[in-house]
Amino acid sequence: MPVSPSSKCFGLVVATPQEAGPLRSHLSAFLKASSASATSCCRLVVSGMGRDAAYRSAQQLIQIHKIRWIISVGVSGSLRTDLPVGTVYQASKVNDSEGSSYPVDPL
């Protein structure tokens, strides 16, 4: 159901169903409440791999649901042994497979 642009909606974009699973588990109550609310919502989209797929999904969230905030969520492994499983890390930049680098807005 499309919502008004003034709503407090945000979107979560993930590449794979494996990345979406934990988010659905942890956010299930919020996602259920969001689907029934016209003033506050969260939309979770599995985009597929790659920059173009993520871009298309973000555009759909903006155009169809009037999403104002989009968070790209990814899961990765670590090459560092001092980071325990479950560590949350916010990157300062993102490098894509084509060699481009993008700064990340801090939360």
Side-chain angles (χ1 to χ4, degrees):
M1 164 173 77
V3 294
S4 71
S6 62
S7 66
K8 298 174 184 171
C9 288
F10 68 95
L12 299 171
V13 177
V14 298
T16 68
Q18 292 82 1
E19 292 173 318
L23 289 172
R24 282 193 182 108
S25 312
H26 292 294
L27 296 173
S28 63
F30 185 76
L31 291 169
K32 286 178 189 172
S34 295
S35 64
S37 173
T39 59
S40 171
C41 66
C42 173
R43 299 287 183 251
L44 175 61
V45 176
V46 178
S47 66
M49 298 293 284
R51 179 179 61 184
D52 293 340
Y55 177 81
R56 283 191 302 272
S57 291
Q59 286 298 109
Q60 288 176 345
L61 285 170
I62 293 166
Q63 292 169 1
I64 296 170
H65 297 288
K66 309 300 183 211
I67 299 293
R68 297 175 70 137
W69 298 92
I70 295 176
I71 302 169
S72 177
V73 179
V75 177
S76 66
S78 173
L79 299 175
R80 292 177 44 184
T81 58
D82 61 329
L83 292 177
V85 172
T87 299
V88 176
Y89 183 82
Q90 180 180 340
S92 58
K93 67 178 180 175
V94 175
N95 300 318
D96 68 16
S97 60
E98 297 173 7
S100 296
S101 181
Y102 305 92
V104 175
D105 290 335
L107 295 176

